[in-house]
Amino acid sequence: MVRKSINYLIVISIIFIIPFTSYGQKFKGLALTPPMGWNSWNHFACDVNEQIIKEIADAIINSGMKDAGYIYINIDDCWHGQRDSLGFIHPDPQRFPSGMKALADYIHSKGLKLGIYSDAGWKTCGGRPGSRGHEYQDALTYASWGIDYLKYDWCYTDELNAHGAYLTMGDALVSAGRPVVFSLCEWGNNKPWEWGKDIGHLWRTTGDIYNCFDCVIDHGTWKSWGVLQILDMQEGLRVHAGPDHWNDPDMMEVGNGMPVNEDRAHFSMWCMLAAPLIAGNDVRKMTKETVEILTNSEVIAVDQDSMGIQGFKYQTIDSLEVWVKPLVKNQLAVCFLNRGKTPREISYDWSKHVIKDDFSGMTYDFNQKEYRIRNLWLKKETGTTRKPLKSTIGGHDVLMLRLTPVK
Ligand code: GLA
């Protein structure tokens, strides 16, 4: 009898307790569409403080970005002060004199969410204290401050195993109990798309972006990459992404100095990739053109489509690429990307194309079905797929369309 009860208890524990105590969990459902927000690094680098973060939050609201969906205000590297004698981390008292809890309260009072940054190694990339050996303690601290998003970097990790290190922090966040979007910033070195899905909501696929359309910056031991270089590195990765687990081609450089055509192409391609849309510019001082790009709701809707299918390169015609992204209700986005510097005329005969996507299982046969075409930057209907599409696409620019089946 006693033995039977013990066996019974063991079975009950296996069924009910172990699934809730095992590693590899995350807060589910926090990123059913790619996260949208802002991050300090691309514009401010280490020069962050609470005043800037508050002003950014205000500007996100006043510019219409919050209404467009940008919710997370993420502080990147260099917010840190020292650890105290018990190992608890504190913000830099000069830069964040009111403390993180007060800042989170301010951000939350505006209907926004606050993100923070740490590193799996001894130190962050900016040389501040990393979380190694303090993971559970840091996760508790972030929860007590009211943090909603953690970007977790990969500097000073020596021989650490990436999967294991991210699992530890993921588990620490879950144990701390406050729902947090977990952003794995491991630069794609250890193929996080193969193991990140159950740990985090997004993972960087590459090294850092650089504010240029087509360039590579060599820093000696590492490189940073232009928009086209990062785009090319996404090849083959779309099968790993979907609702609640996204490939992250890095934060955006829109509004940081590229010409408007390049910013438009950059933003369009990030939306075709179903990329997290994390703005990286000084949103307190934006040109009208930058606001128009970042808040174009029809282009954002391509990124935020609820099917969560990352787009793919359908065709390359020398420097012209045709990208396709399946959308809900048998619709699709088609984006013509002119990688060249000079304008290009196109005449695109839809009737010559049957677009078949094995990953989503979608087929678009333009002989079988006619589609209405909407130009997402001009915000205008431009005929149907019955006639060839004629257009001129500027250098380093796009023609971005949404196609809807004609009933
Ligand atoms: C790494 C990351 C960047 C940024 C910096 C901060 O380079 O990839 O996105 O967070 O560290 O030091």
Side-chain angles (χ1 to χ4, degrees), residues 41 76-77 117 125-126 151 153 155 185 187 204 208 250-251:
W41 183 255
D76 207 278
D77 207 346
Y117 161 102
C125 299
K151 172 175 164 185
D153 215 340
C155 277
C185 179
W187 319 313
R204 281 273 297 276
D208 289 4
D250 206 358
M251 308 169 297

Side-chain angles (χ1 to χ4, degrees), residues 38 80 87 92 102 187 191 218 223-224 231 271 274 297 314 357 361 397:
W38 176 90
H80 318 67
D92 181 324
W187 319 313
K191 301 191 176 163
D218 195 339
K223 290 184 175 122
S224 47
L231 182 65
C271 290
S297 57
Y314 165 63
D357 175 25
D397 208 339

